[in-house]
Amino acid sequence: MQINAMNSKAVPAILLSLLLMAIVYYYLSQPSSVSSRVIVSPCPTSCPTSEPKDRVPADVIPTGYVFHLETPDQSLAVTAHLKYSQPSIVKGRTDVVAVTPWLAPIVWEGTFNPVLLDSIYKPKKISIAVTVFAVGKYIMFLKNFLETAEQHFFVGFNVHVYVFTDRPKEVPEVKMADGRQLTVRLVPSSKRWQEISARRMELIQKLIDEQLRKNSDYIFCLDVDSKFHDRWGTESLGGLVAVIHPGYYLDNRSKFPYERRSASKAYVADGEGDFYYCGGAFGGILEEVYLLASTCRFNFEEDAKNGIEAAWQEESHLNRYMWINKPSKVLSPEYLWQDFKARNPEVKTIRFSGVIKNYADIRPNV
Ligand code: UDP
């Protein structure tokens, strides 16, 4: 009797435990719904289809992943590796910080070996798309931009420049090296420069959707009123790439011109934020830039519905985005200086800079 009584109490308890275990198992086996961020395709367009034939087995490691940095043999003989100076972890630049608190590299002159990096990326046959907007009178900056890009931007790599303009007939003829090309995409004219700036994210998103997934691995989105002066190359490649604005990198973050109204989707509160990034240069792999562009566009449109225009339009939205979604590579202000600014001593070279311009002469409105 006693045993029977115990059984009649134990059976529901056992059933309940089984039910609980089943519920826990069910939840653990579901994919996480916390993160909706992209998963990058492990094999972009540049994936080699097969391994070189005479590799020794110990060297044969997966080469498909875009971030897999393999130093290839310089010839098919396995002994002929590239010779380069020994890296050090105690000697190097001491006047600048070369890593963020989330361990992304900050690229400064003297922190990388361009020959080594190029030798890693060259066999991958990567393709880099560039977007540049030249709407209205800004077409006047395009020639200089394109000519200097030929001299300094990913020289020796496949580069496809997409020019968005309302003046296709005024796009200059610039001789481009093998593997480099230009496509013109027509956009409507606008009476407000704010609108031109705002539509950029939407058009970048569309370009990735319609065109780039077929033919590009990386994208950089650059301001046209700028020119190259020195190398901008493989050292800048990364998942999500941001450029530190030259105007604020020595300032306390309370001085950064973030959007400070909490009603805006670009809001960054006092005491928050990492760096102030440029709206005039950003990039990365396609899926990261796609997420950035679609998020900024969505937030911009939400603001517009509420009658808000963020302090620095897309730059404000980009800054909020980069604060939440930390860039995996940060480019120092060498990568977008301003010609009217004297060069600071830590800036050993200027690679790309915004030219001096008179806004009243070139913008459709003030
Ligand atoms: N832009 C354009 N036409 C305009 C205004 C802007 O094509 O009338 C594009 C152009 O690519 C420019 C970028 O938007 O480089 C950013 O605009 P702007 O240089 O005026 O902004 P700033 O960086 O000076 O704040």
Side-chain angles (χ1 to χ4, degrees), residues 93 105-114 117 145 152-154 220-223 226-237 241-246 249 278-283 329-338 346-354:
R93 286 198 60 171
I106 305 176
V107 184
W108 293 93
E109 175 68 4
T111 61
F112 61 91
N113 181 330
L117 276 165
F145 175 95
H152 302 292
F153 186 78
F154 282 94
F220 283 97
C221 308
L222 304 175
D223 267 6
S226 332
K227 59 184 181 185
F228 295 87
H229 309 266
D230 200 352
R231 176 196 162 97
W232 177 325
T234 48
E235 73 284 357
S236 67
L237 296 175
V241 182
V243 181
I244 303 271
H245 197 294
Y249 72 97
C278 294
F282 57 90
K329 188 164 279 184
V330 173
L331 306 182
S332 70
E334 294 168 4
Y335 288 80
L336 188 42
W337 198 249
Q338 288 165 320
E346 64 277 8
V347 177
K348 306 281 181 219
T349 183
I350 292 172
R351 302 171 190 282
F352 186 58
S353 73

Short mmCIF file of all heavy atoms in Angstrom, two decimals, residues 93 105-114 117 145 152-154 220-223 226-237 241-246 249 278-283 329-338 346-354:
data_model
loop_
_atom_site.label_atom_id
_atom_site.label_comp_id
_atom_site.label_asym_id
_atom_site.label_seq_id
_atom_site.Cartn_x
_atom_site.Cartn_y
_atom_site.Cartn_z
N ARG A 93 55.09 52.25 -33.50
CA ARG A 93 54.70 53.64 -33.24
C ARG A 93 54.23 53.79 -31.80
O ARG A 93 53.48 52.97 -31.29
CB ARG A 93 53.60 54.06 -34.21
CG ARG A 93 54.20 54.29 -35.60
CD ARG A 93 53.33 55.08 -36.47
NE ARG A 93 53.00 56.41 -35.98
CZ ARG A 93 52.37 57.31 -36.71
NH1 ARG A 93 52.02 57.02 -37.95
NH2 ARG A 93 52.10 58.49 -36.21
N PRO A 105 41.93 46.98 -35.49
CA PRO A 105 43.11 47.78 -35.81
C PRO A 105 42.72 49.21 -36.17
O PRO A 105 41.67 49.44 -36.78
CB PRO A 105 43.69 47.09 -37.04
CG PRO A 105 42.98 45.80 -37.19
CD PRO A 105 41.68 45.90 -36.44
N ILE A 106 43.57 50.17 -35.77
CA ILE A 106 43.43 51.55 -36.27
C ILE A 106 44.63 51.75 -37.19
O ILE A 106 45.78 51.63 -36.75
CB ILE A 106 43.44 52.58 -35.12
CG1 ILE A 106 42.37 52.24 -34.08
CG2 ILE A 106 43.25 54.00 -35.68
CD1 ILE A 106 42.37 53.15 -32.86
N VAL A 107 44.37 52.00 -38.45
CA VAL A 107 45.45 51.97 -39.45
C VAL A 107 46.14 53.33 -39.55
O VAL A 107 45.52 54.33 -39.93
CB VAL A 107 44.89 51.55 -40.84
CG1 VAL A 107 46.02 51.43 -41.84
CG2 VAL A 107 44.13 50.24 -40.73
N TRP A 108 47.41 53.34 -39.19
CA TRP A 108 48.27 54.52 -39.33
C TRP A 108 49.49 54.10 -40.15
O TRP A 108 49.88 52.93 -40.11
CB TRP A 108 48.80 54.98 -37.97
CG TRP A 108 47.82 55.53 -36.99
CD1 TRP A 108 47.17 54.83 -36.02
CD2 TRP A 108 47.42 56.90 -36.84
NE1 TRP A 108 46.38 55.68 -35.28
CE2 TRP A 108 46.52 56.97 -35.75
CE3 TRP A 108 47.75 58.09 -37.50
CZ2 TRP A 108 45.94 58.15 -35.32
CZ3 TRP A 108 47.16 59.28 -37.07
CH2 TRP A 108 46.26 59.30 -36.00
N GLU A 109 50.09 55.07 -40.81
CA GLU A 109 51.37 54.82 -41.49
C GLU A 109 52.35 54.21 -40.47
O GLU A 109 52.41 54.65 -39.33
CB GLU A 109 51.92 56.15 -42.04
CG GLU A 109 53.29 56.09 -42.66
CD GLU A 109 53.31 55.30 -43.97
OE1 GLU A 109 52.25 54.86 -44.43
OE2 GLU A 109 54.41 55.12 -44.50
N GLY A 110 53.06 53.16 -40.89
CA GLY A 110 54.04 52.55 -40.00
C GLY A 110 53.48 51.40 -39.17
O GLY A 110 54.21 50.79 -38.40
N THR A 111 52.18 51.12 -39.31
CA THR A 111 51.62 49.99 -38.54
C THR A 111 51.38 48.76 -39.42
O THR A 111 50.91 47.75 -38.92
CB THR A 111 50.28 50.37 -37.86
OG1 THR A 111 49.34 50.72 -38.88
CG2 THR A 111 50.44 51.52 -36.89
N PHE A 112 51.69 48.85 -40.70
CA PHE A 112 51.42 47.70 -41.58
C PHE A 112 52.51 47.61 -42.65
O PHE A 112 53.24 48.57 -42.89
CB PHE A 112 50.05 47.84 -42.25
CG PHE A 112 49.90 49.06 -43.12
CD1 PHE A 112 50.20 49.00 -44.47
CD2 PHE A 112 49.48 50.28 -42.58
CE1 PHE A 112 50.07 50.13 -45.29
CE2 PHE A 112 49.35 51.41 -43.39
CZ PHE A 112 49.65 51.33 -44.74
N ASN A 113 52.60 46.44 -43.25
CA ASN A 113 53.56 46.23 -44.32
C ASN A 113 52.78 46.10 -45.64
O ASN A 113 52.14 45.07 -45.90
CB ASN A 113 54.37 44.95 -44.04
CG ASN A 113 55.41 44.70 -45.12
OD1 ASN A 113 55.23 45.06 -46.28
ND2 ASN A 113 56.50 44.05 -44.74
N PRO A 114 52.83 47.14 -46.47
CA PRO A 114 52.00 47.13 -47.70
C PRO A 114 52.36 46.00 -48.66
O PRO A 114 51.48 45.43 -49.30
CB PRO A 114 52.26 48.50 -48.33
CG PRO A 114 53.46 49.06 -47.65
CD PRO A 114 53.59 48.39 -46.32
N LEU A 117 50.93 42.75 -47.26
CA LEU A 117 49.46 42.73 -47.40
C LEU A 117 49.03 42.50 -48.84
O LEU A 117 48.15 41.69 -49.12
CB LEU A 117 48.88 44.06 -46.89
CG LEU A 117 48.67 44.12 -45.38
CD1 LEU A 117 48.45 45.55 -44.93
CD2 LEU A 117 47.48 43.26 -44.97
N PHE A 145 39.35 63.48 -58.75
CA PHE A 145 39.11 62.29 -57.94
C PHE A 145 39.54 61.03 -58.71
O PHE A 145 40.29 60.19 -58.21
CB PHE A 145 37.62 62.21 -57.57
CG PHE A 145 37.22 60.96 -56.83
CD1 PHE A 145 37.17 60.95 -55.44
CD2 PHE A 145 36.91 59.79 -57.51
CE1 PHE A 145 36.82 59.79 -54.75
CE2 PHE A 145 36.55 58.64 -56.82
CZ PHE A 145 36.51 58.64 -55.44
N HIS A 152 46.72 56.11 -56.84
CA HIS A 152 46.93 55.71 -55.44
C HIS A 152 45.94 54.70 -54.87
O HIS A 152 46.23 54.09 -53.84
CB HIS A 152 46.86 56.96 -54.54
CG HIS A 152 47.85 58.01 -54.88
ND1 HIS A 152 49.21 57.84 -54.71
CD2 HIS A 152 47.70 59.26 -55.41
CE1 HIS A 152 49.85 58.92 -55.11
NE2 HIS A 152 48.96 59.80 -55.54
N PHE A 153 44.77 54.55 -55.46
CA PHE A 153 43.73 53.73 -54.83
C PHE A 153 43.78 52.29 -55.36
O PHE A 153 43.50 52.05 -56.53
CB PHE A 153 42.35 54.35 -55.08
CG PHE A 153 41.22 53.65 -54.36
CD1 PHE A 153 41.00 53.87 -53.01
CD2 PHE A 153 40.37 52.79 -55.03
CE1 PHE A 153 39.96 53.23 -52.33
CE2 PHE A 153 39.32 52.15 -54.36
CZ PHE A 153 39.12 52.37 -53.01
N PHE A 154 44.17 51.36 -54.52
CA PHE A 154 44.22 49.94 -54.88
C PHE A 154 44.88 49.73 -56.25
O PHE A 154 44.33 49.08 -57.13
CB PHE A 154 42.82 49.32 -54.87
CG PHE A 154 42.35 49.01 -53.47
CD1 PHE A 154 41.57 49.91 -52.78
CD2 PHE A 154 42.69 47.81 -52.85
CE1 PHE A 154 41.15 49.64 -51.48
CE2 PHE A 154 42.27 47.54 -51.55
CZ PHE A 154 41.49 48.44 -50.86
N PHE A 220 33.79 50.66 -51.15
CA PHE A 220 34.10 51.90 -50.42
C PHE A 220 33.22 53.01 -50.98
O PHE A 220 33.04 53.11 -52.20
CB PHE A 220 35.58 52.27 -50.58
CG PHE A 220 36.48 51.42 -49.71
CD1 PHE A 220 37.12 50.31 -50.24
CD2 PHE A 220 36.64 51.71 -48.36
CE1 PHE A 220 37.91 49.51 -49.43
CE2 PHE A 220 37.42 50.91 -47.54
CZ PHE A 220 38.06 49.81 -48.07
N CYS A 221 32.66 53.82 -50.08
CA CYS A 221 31.76 54.90 -50.49
C CYS A 221 32.47 56.21 -50.14
O CYS A 221 32.74 56.47 -48.96
CB CYS A 221 30.44 54.78 -49.73
SG CYS A 221 29.72 53.13 -49.88
N LEU A 222 32.80 56.98 -51.17
CA LEU A 222 33.69 58.13 -50.96
C LEU A 222 33.08 59.43 -51.47
O LEU A 222 32.33 59.44 -52.44
CB LEU A 222 35.02 57.88 -51.69
CG LEU A 222 35.76 56.57 -51.32
CD1 LEU A 222 36.98 56.39 -52.21
CD2 LEU A 222 36.15 56.54 -49.86
N ASP A 223 33.44 60.53 -50.81
CA ASP A 223 33.02 61.86 -51.26
C ASP A 223 33.80 62.25 -52.51
O ASP A 223 35.02 62.01 -52.59
CB ASP A 223 33.32 62.90 -50.16
CG ASP A 223 32.12 63.12 -49.25
OD1 ASP A 223 31.11 62.41 -49.39
OD2 ASP A 223 32.20 64.02 -48.39
N SER A 226 37.15 65.35 -53.22
CA SER A 226 38.33 64.88 -52.51
C SER A 226 39.34 64.36 -53.52
O SER A 226 38.98 64.08 -54.67
CB SER A 226 37.99 63.70 -51.60
OG SER A 226 36.69 63.73 -51.16
N LYS A 227 40.58 64.19 -53.08
CA LYS A 227 41.54 63.56 -53.98
C LYS A 227 42.54 62.72 -53.19
O LYS A 227 42.73 62.93 -51.99
CB LYS A 227 42.24 64.60 -54.85
CG LYS A 227 42.98 65.64 -54.11
CD LYS A 227 43.55 66.64 -55.10
CE LYS A 227 44.34 67.69 -54.35
NZ LYS A 227 44.81 68.75 -55.20
N PHE A 228 43.16 61.79 -53.91
CA PHE A 228 44.15 60.91 -53.30
C PHE A 228 45.54 61.52 -53.45
O PHE A 228 45.83 62.15 -54.46
CB PHE A 228 44.12 59.54 -53.99
CG PHE A 228 42.82 58.80 -53.80
CD1 PHE A 228 41.76 59.01 -54.67
CD2 PHE A 228 42.66 57.91 -52.76
CE1 PHE A 228 40.56 58.33 -54.50
CE2 PHE A 228 41.45 57.23 -52.57
CZ PHE A 228 40.40 57.45 -53.45
N HIS A 229 46.37 61.30 -52.41
CA HIS A 229 47.74 61.81 -52.47
C HIS A 229 48.75 60.70 -52.26
O HIS A 229 49.93 60.84 -52.56
CB HIS A 229 47.99 62.84 -51.36
CG HIS A 229 46.98 63.92 -51.30
ND1 HIS A 229 47.13 65.13 -51.94
CD2 HIS A 229 45.78 63.99 -50.67
CE1 HIS A 229 46.06 65.89 -51.70
NE2 HIS A 229 45.23 65.21 -50.94
N ASP A 230 48.32 59.63 -51.63
CA ASP A 230 49.24 58.56 -51.27
C ASP A 230 48.44 57.26 -51.23
O ASP A 230 47.20 57.28 -51.27
CB ASP A 230 49.87 58.88 -49.90
CG ASP A 230 51.17 58.12 -49.65
OD1 ASP A 230 51.51 57.23 -50.46
OD2 ASP A 230 51.84 58.41 -48.64
N ARG A 231 49.17 56.17 -51.05
CA ARG A 231 48.54 54.85 -51.10
C ARG A 231 47.29 54.71 -50.21
O ARG A 231 47.29 55.08 -49.04
CB ARG A 231 49.57 53.81 -50.63
CG ARG A 231 49.02 52.40 -50.54
CD ARG A 231 49.95 51.52 -49.71
NE ARG A 231 49.23 50.34 -49.28
CZ ARG A 231 49.29 49.16 -49.91
NH1 ARG A 231 50.03 49.00 -50.97
NH2 ARG A 231 48.59 48.14 -49.44
N TRP A 232 46.23 54.19 -50.80
CA TRP A 232 45.06 53.67 -50.06
C TRP A 232 44.85 52.28 -50.63
O TRP A 232 44.44 52.14 -51.78
CB TRP A 232 43.83 54.57 -50.27
CG TRP A 232 42.57 54.06 -49.59
CD1 TRP A 232 42.19 52.76 -49.45
CD2 TRP A 232 41.54 54.85 -49.00
NE1 TRP A 232 40.98 52.69 -48.78
CE2 TRP A 232 40.55 53.96 -48.50
CE3 TRP A 232 41.33 56.23 -48.84
CZ2 TRP A 232 39.39 54.39 -47.86
CZ3 TRP A 232 40.17 56.65 -48.20
CH2 TRP A 232 39.22 55.75 -47.71
N GLY A 233 45.18 51.24 -49.89
CA GLY A 233 45.16 49.90 -50.46
C GLY A 233 44.64 48.84 -49.53
O GLY A 233 43.76 49.09 -48.69
N THR A 234 45.24 47.65 -49.65
CA THR A 234 44.71 46.45 -48.96
C THR A 234 44.70 46.57 -47.44
O THR A 234 43.96 45.84 -46.78
CB THR A 234 45.53 45.21 -49.37
OG1 THR A 234 46.92 45.54 -49.26
CG2 THR A 234 45.24 44.80 -50.79
N GLU A 235 45.53 47.46 -46.90
CA GLU A 235 45.52 47.66 -45.44
C GLU A 235 44.16 48.15 -44.95
O GLU A 235 43.85 48.05 -43.76
CB GLU A 235 46.64 48.65 -45.03
CG GLU A 235 46.39 50.13 -45.36
CD GLU A 235 46.60 50.48 -46.84
OE1 GLU A 235 46.98 49.61 -47.62
OE2 GLU A 235 46.36 51.66 -47.19
N SER A 236 43.36 48.69 -45.86
CA SER A 236 42.07 49.27 -45.46
C SER A 236 40.93 48.25 -45.51
O SER A 236 39.80 48.58 -45.16
CB SER A 236 41.72 50.45 -46.38
OG SER A 236 41.49 49.96 -47.70
N LEU A 237 41.23 47.04 -45.95
CA LEU A 237 40.15 46.05 -46.10
C LEU A 237 39.69 45.52 -44.75
O LEU A 237 40.49 45.30 -43.86
CB LEU A 237 40.61 44.89 -46.98
CG LEU A 237 40.94 45.27 -48.43
CD1 LEU A 237 41.51 44.07 -49.17
CD2 LEU A 237 39.71 45.83 -49.15
N VAL A 241 34.30 49.06 -42.22
CA VAL A 241 35.45 49.97 -42.15
C VAL A 241 34.97 51.42 -41.99
O VAL A 241 34.16 51.90 -42.79
CB VAL A 241 36.32 49.85 -43.43
CG1 VAL A 241 37.55 50.74 -43.32
CG2 VAL A 241 36.73 48.40 -43.66
N ALA A 242 35.48 52.08 -40.96
CA ALA A 242 35.12 53.48 -40.73
C ALA A 242 36.38 54.33 -40.72
O ALA A 242 37.47 53.84 -40.43
CB ALA A 242 34.42 53.61 -39.38
N VAL A 243 36.21 55.62 -41.04
CA VAL A 243 37.36 56.54 -41.05
C VAL A 243 37.14 57.60 -39.96
O VAL A 243 36.06 58.20 -39.88
CB VAL A 243 37.49 57.24 -42.43
CG1 VAL A 243 38.70 58.17 -42.44
CG2 VAL A 243 37.59 56.21 -43.54
N ILE A 244 38.17 57.82 -39.17
CA ILE A 244 38.08 58.83 -38.11
C ILE A 244 38.08 60.23 -38.75
O ILE A 244 38.93 60.53 -39.58
CB ILE A 244 39.31 58.74 -37.18
CG1 ILE A 244 39.44 57.34 -36.58
CG2 ILE A 244 39.30 59.85 -36.14
CD1 ILE A 244 38.71 57.11 -35.31
N HIS A 245 37.15 61.05 -38.32
CA HIS A 245 37.06 62.42 -38.85
C HIS A 245 38.27 63.24 -38.38
O HIS A 245 38.61 63.21 -37.19
CB HIS A 245 35.77 63.05 -38.33
CG HIS A 245 35.35 64.28 -39.09
ND1 HIS A 245 36.08 65.44 -39.07
CD2 HIS A 245 34.29 64.51 -39.90
CE1 HIS A 245 35.47 66.34 -39.84
NE2 HIS A 245 34.39 65.80 -40.36
N PRO A 246 38.92 63.96 -39.32
CA PRO A 246 40.14 64.69 -38.92
C PRO A 246 39.86 65.87 -37.99
O PRO A 246 40.76 66.35 -37.30
CB PRO A 246 40.69 65.20 -40.26
CG PRO A 246 39.49 65.29 -41.15
CD PRO A 246 38.58 64.15 -40.73
N TYR A 249 39.40 64.30 -33.73
CA TYR A 249 40.02 63.14 -33.07
C TYR A 249 40.84 63.50 -31.82
O TYR A 249 41.19 62.62 -31.04
CB TYR A 249 40.84 62.30 -34.06
CG TYR A 249 42.13 62.91 -34.55
CD1 TYR A 249 43.35 62.58 -33.96
CD2 TYR A 249 42.14 63.80 -35.62
CE1 TYR A 249 44.54 63.11 -34.43
CE2 TYR A 249 43.31 64.34 -36.08
CZ TYR A 249 44.51 64.00 -35.49
OH TYR A 249 45.69 64.52 -35.95
N CYS A 278 33.79 59.89 -40.24
CA CYS A 278 33.44 60.68 -41.44
C CYS A 278 32.27 60.05 -42.18
O CYS A 278 32.25 58.83 -42.37
CB CYS A 278 34.57 60.63 -42.45
SG CYS A 278 36.06 61.41 -41.95
N GLY A 279 31.38 60.89 -42.68
CA GLY A 279 30.36 60.41 -43.60
C GLY A 279 30.95 60.29 -45.01
O GLY A 279 30.38 59.63 -45.87
N GLY A 280 32.10 60.92 -45.22
CA GLY A 280 32.68 61.01 -46.57
C GLY A 280 33.51 59.82 -46.98
O GLY A 280 34.03 59.79 -48.10
N ALA A 281 33.67 58.82 -46.13
CA ALA A 281 34.43 57.62 -46.49
C ALA A 281 34.08 56.51 -45.51
O ALA A 281 34.24 56.68 -44.30
CB ALA A 281 35.93 57.89 -46.46
N PHE A 282 33.59 55.42 -46.06
CA PHE A 282 33.34 54.23 -45.24
C PHE A 282 33.26 53.04 -46.21
O PHE A 282 33.19 53.22 -47.42
CB PHE A 282 32.04 54.35 -44.41
CG PHE A 282 30.81 54.62 -45.22
CD1 PHE A 282 30.03 53.58 -45.72
CD2 PHE A 282 30.42 55.92 -45.51
CE1 PHE A 282 28.88 53.83 -46.48
CE2 PHE A 282 29.28 56.18 -46.28
CZ PHE A 282 28.52 55.13 -46.76
N GLY A 283 33.30 51.84 -45.67
CA GLY A 283 33.26 50.69 -46.56
C GLY A 283 33.31 49.38 -45.82
O GLY A 283 32.98 49.30 -44.64
N LYS A 329 37.52 47.49 -38.66
CA LYS A 329 38.77 48.19 -38.96
C LYS A 329 38.49 49.69 -38.96
O LYS A 329 37.47 50.13 -39.50
CB LYS A 329 39.36 47.74 -40.30
CG LYS A 329 40.74 48.31 -40.54
CD LYS A 329 41.48 47.60 -41.64
CE LYS A 329 42.13 46.31 -41.20
NZ LYS A 329 42.93 45.69 -42.28
N VAL A 330 39.40 50.43 -38.34
CA VAL A 330 39.23 51.88 -38.26
C VAL A 330 40.42 52.52 -38.97
O VAL A 330 41.57 52.16 -38.70
CB VAL A 330 39.17 52.32 -36.77
CG1 VAL A 330 39.18 53.84 -36.66
CG2 VAL A 330 37.94 51.73 -36.09
N LEU A 331 40.14 53.42 -39.90
CA LEU A 331 41.22 54.09 -40.62
C LEU A 331 41.47 55.45 -39.96
O LEU A 331 40.53 56.18 -39.64
CB LEU A 331 40.84 54.27 -42.10
CG LEU A 331 40.43 52.97 -42.84
CD1 LEU A 331 40.12 53.26 -44.31
CD2 LEU A 331 41.52 51.92 -42.72
N SER A 332 42.73 55.74 -39.75
CA SER A 332 43.13 56.99 -39.09
C SER A 332 42.77 58.18 -39.99
O SER A 332 42.46 58.00 -41.18
CB SER A 332 44.63 56.97 -38.82
OG SER A 332 45.31 57.08 -40.06
N PRO A 333 42.89 59.40 -39.48
CA PRO A 333 42.55 60.57 -40.33
C PRO A 333 43.45 60.74 -41.54
O PRO A 333 43.18 61.60 -42.38
CB PRO A 333 42.70 61.76 -39.37
CG PRO A 333 42.61 61.18 -38.00
CD PRO A 333 43.16 59.79 -38.08
N GLU A 334 44.49 59.91 -41.66
CA GLU A 334 45.29 59.92 -42.91
C GLU A 334 44.38 59.64 -44.11
O GLU A 334 44.68 60.03 -45.23
CB GLU A 334 46.33 58.78 -42.89
CG GLU A 334 47.40 58.90 -41.84
CD GLU A 334 48.20 57.60 -41.69
OE1 GLU A 334 47.96 56.64 -42.44
OE2 GLU A 334 49.05 57.57 -40.80
N TYR A 335 43.27 58.92 -43.85
CA TYR A 335 42.40 58.44 -44.92
C TYR A 335 41.27 59.40 -45.27
O TYR A 335 40.45 59.09 -46.11
CB TYR A 335 41.85 57.05 -44.56
CG TYR A 335 42.92 55.98 -44.64
CD1 TYR A 335 43.82 55.80 -43.60
CD2 TYR A 335 43.05 55.18 -45.76
CE1 TYR A 335 44.82 54.83 -43.67
CE2 TYR A 335 44.03 54.22 -45.85
CZ TYR A 335 44.92 54.05 -44.80
OH TYR A 335 45.90 53.09 -44.88
N LEU A 336 41.19 60.52 -44.59
CA LEU A 336 40.33 61.62 -45.05
C LEU A 336 40.68 62.87 -44.25
O LEU A 336 40.07 63.17 -43.24
CB LEU A 336 38.83 61.29 -44.95
CG LEU A 336 37.86 62.31 -45.57
CD1 LEU A 336 38.34 62.85 -46.91
CD2 LEU A 336 36.47 61.76 -45.73
N TRP A 337 41.72 63.51 -44.74
CA TRP A 337 42.14 64.77 -44.13
C TRP A 337 41.34 65.90 -44.76
O TRP A 337 40.50 65.65 -45.63
CB TRP A 337 43.66 64.95 -44.34
CG TRP A 337 44.27 65.96 -43.42
CD1 TRP A 337 44.77 67.18 -43.76
CD2 TRP A 337 44.44 65.83 -42.01
NE1 TRP A 337 45.24 67.83 -42.64
CE2 TRP A 337 45.04 67.02 -41.55
CE3 TRP A 337 44.13 64.84 -41.08
CZ2 TRP A 337 45.34 67.25 -40.21
CZ3 TRP A 337 44.42 65.07 -39.74
CH2 TRP A 337 45.02 66.25 -39.31
N GLN A 338 41.55 67.13 -44.31
CA GLN A 338 40.90 68.28 -44.94
C GLN A 338 41.99 69.24 -45.38
O GLN A 338 42.85 69.60 -44.57
CB GLN A 338 39.98 68.98 -43.94
CG GLN A 338 38.72 68.18 -43.62
CD GLN A 338 38.00 68.69 -42.39
OE1 GLN A 338 38.62 69.06 -41.39
NE2 GLN A 338 36.69 68.69 -42.42
N GLU A 346 51.43 63.67 -35.81
CA GLU A 346 51.20 62.22 -35.83
C GLU A 346 50.70 61.74 -37.20
O GLU A 346 50.71 60.54 -37.47
CB GLU A 346 50.21 61.78 -34.73
CG GLU A 346 48.80 62.32 -34.83
CD GLU A 346 48.66 63.72 -34.26
OE1 GLU A 346 49.71 64.33 -33.91
OE2 GLU A 346 47.53 64.23 -34.18
N VAL A 347 50.29 62.68 -38.02
CA VAL A 347 49.83 62.32 -39.38
C VAL A 347 51.05 62.34 -40.30
O VAL A 347 51.47 63.39 -40.78
CB VAL A 347 48.72 63.29 -39.84
CG1 VAL A 347 48.28 62.97 -41.27
CG2 VAL A 347 47.54 63.21 -38.89
N LYS A 348 51.63 61.15 -40.51
CA LYS A 348 52.89 61.08 -41.26
C LYS A 348 52.66 61.18 -42.75
O LYS A 348 53.57 61.51 -43.51
CB LYS A 348 53.61 59.75 -40.98
CG LYS A 348 53.84 59.48 -39.50
CD LYS A 348 55.02 60.27 -38.97
CE LYS A 348 55.25 59.97 -37.50
NZ LYS A 348 55.64 61.17 -36.74
N THR A 349 51.47 60.83 -43.18
CA THR A 349 51.14 60.98 -44.60
C THR A 349 49.66 61.27 -44.73
O THR A 349 48.87 60.86 -43.86
CB THR A 349 51.49 59.72 -45.42
OG1 THR A 349 51.20 59.97 -46.80
CG2 THR A 349 50.71 58.50 -44.98
N ILE A 350 49.30 61.99 -45.77
CA ILE A 350 47.87 62.19 -46.06
C ILE A 350 47.58 61.38 -47.32
O ILE A 350 48.23 61.56 -48.35
CB ILE A 350 47.56 63.68 -46.24
CG1 ILE A 350 47.75 64.39 -44.89
CG2 ILE A 350 46.14 63.88 -46.76
CD1 ILE A 350 47.66 65.88 -44.95
N ARG A 351 46.63 60.46 -47.21
CA ARG A 351 46.35 59.56 -48.33
C ARG A 351 45.20 60.08 -49.18
O ARG A 351 45.17 59.90 -50.40
CB ARG A 351 45.98 58.18 -47.80
CG ARG A 351 47.07 57.60 -46.93
CD ARG A 351 46.62 56.34 -46.23
NE ARG A 351 47.62 55.96 -45.24
CZ ARG A 351 48.76 55.36 -45.54
NH1 ARG A 351 49.04 55.03 -46.79
NH2 ARG A 351 49.64 55.07 -44.61
N PHE A 352 44.24 60.73 -48.52
CA PHE A 352 43.01 61.16 -49.20
C PHE A 352 42.56 62.40 -48.44
O PHE A 352 42.65 62.42 -47.20
CB PHE A 352 41.99 60.02 -49.07
CG PHE A 352 40.69 60.19 -49.82
CD1 PHE A 352 40.67 60.37 -51.19
CD2 PHE A 352 39.47 60.09 -49.14
CE1 PHE A 352 39.46 60.47 -51.88
CE2 PHE A 352 38.27 60.18 -49.82
CZ PHE A 352 38.27 60.37 -51.20
N SER A 353 42.13 63.43 -49.16
CA SER A 353 41.70 64.63 -48.42
C SER A 353 40.59 65.36 -49.15
O SER A 353 40.47 65.25 -50.39
CB SER A 353 42.88 65.58 -48.22
OG SER A 353 43.19 66.18 -49.45
N GLY A 354 39.79 66.06 -48.39
CA GLY A 354 38.73 66.88 -48.96
C GLY A 354 39.32 68.19 -49.44
O GLY A 354 40.09 68.83 -48.71
#
